[in-house]
Amino acid sequence: MSSVIISGDTSGSITLAAPAVAGTNTITLPAATGTAMVSGNMPAFSAYKSTDQTGISNNTWTKITFDTETFDTNSNFASSRFTPTVAGYYQIQGQTAFVGTVMTNQGIGIYKNGSEYNSVYLRSSASDLAVQVVNLVYMNGTTDYVEIYGRIVGSSGLYFAGGSGNSFFSGSMVRSA
Amino acid sequence: MTLYEKTIALYPSLTNKDFDTVITLQNDSDGKGDYIAKWEHPTLAKPTAEQLA
């Protein structure tokens, strides 16, 4: 059995360079075959809601819209929906600030392909409350997509607050399929 | 009147727990409005379009 030994030296860095030839440069590791994922081909995005989303119906799961992109490395985010074109496992997080009069319940959820994937529920009487949901989601790289939905139970004036610190939606690939 | 208000008017016995578990009202922010995405109540029938009109 052969082995590769990488030893550091006093220069403080080790460089592993792809061959300077045309074509596909892949690295095959023992006991696993595939294309090595590097930061350049692992999609990541971040977006936020710039203005308040008003007119929220009581006790109704409503898609939260995020109109401003901070970054979208693979152009996979559009219409408040993330549809990655690389199959794998993604850490997804969403947050919104719920505002309303006499609120009693709040919920925020990651929706995958239009259905609830997982949600966080609170029963708070606060009139202004930020809640976040985070989970790891497998995405097939073709048709799978995720969105963020929110629900408020309150008497009136219900909305999701805008602002990059109040409502954001982000995600990044953490492992290939 | 919202879909939630119409549903509660039709079935006043419904609780928030029902909407946490067996009933989901949803709005996809696509301009099409609220709709019933899930109705799995063990005893109450899903409202018809006529009842919600």
Side-chain angles (χ1 to χ4, degrees), chain A residues 10-84:
Chain A
T10 57
S11 69
S13 65
I14 298 172
T15 300
L16 184 62
V21 296
T24 302
N25 300 323
T26 60
I27 299 173
T28 302
L29 302 174
T33 300
T35 301
M37 300 308 296
V38 296
S39 59
N41 58 7
M42 299 173 73
F45 78 99
S46 182
Y48 65 91
K49 165 182 284 306
S50 66
T51 59
D52 295 345
Q53 184 173 342
T54 58
I56 305 301
S57 296
N58 193 14
N59 222 336
T60 300
W61 285 99
T62 302
K63 179 180 172 179
I64 304 173
T65 56
F66 300 90
D67 58 300
T68 305
E69 291 183 3
T70 305
F71 57 82
D72 181 14
T73 64
N74 205 39
S75 300
N76 292 154
F77 184 81
S79 302
S80 306
R81 172 183 295 183
F82 179 57
T83 312

Side-chain angles (χ1 to χ4, degrees), chain A residues 115-128:
Chain A
S115 298
E116 182 181 351
Y117 182 79
N118 87 291
S119 299
V120 174
Y121 294 88
L122 288 181
R123 303 194 189 286
S124 171
S125 59
S127 58
D128 187 341

Side-chain angles (χ1 to χ4, degrees), chain A residues 53 57-63 65 105 111 114 121 123 149 151 153, chain B residues 2-4 15-17 19-20 23-29 34-35:
Chain A
Q53 184 173 342
S57 296
N58 193 14
N59 222 336
T60 300
W61 285 99
T62 302
K63 179 180 172 179
T65 56
N105 297 56
Y111 272 50
Y121 294 88
R123 303 194 189 286
Y149 278 66
R151 186 191 72 163
V153 181
Chain B
T2 66
L3 176 61
Y4 172 73
T15 65
N16 280 334
K17 184 178 179 182
F19 289 91
D20 283 347
I23 299 170
T24 299
L25 305 184
Q26 193 164 313
N27 185 315
D28 297 327
S29 297
D34 304 340
Y35 64 95

Side-chain angles (χ1 to χ4, degrees), chain B residues 1-2 5-6 10 12 16 19-20 23 30 32-36 39-42 44 47-48:
Chain B
M1 184 179 280
T2 66
E5 292 167 339
K6 291 177 181 176
L10 192 62
N16 280 334
F19 289 91
D20 283 347
I23 299 170
D30 55 3
K32 296 179 180 176
D34 304 340
Y35 64 95
I36 298 173
W39 188 282
E40 297 175 350
H41 197 282
L44 301 177
T48 64

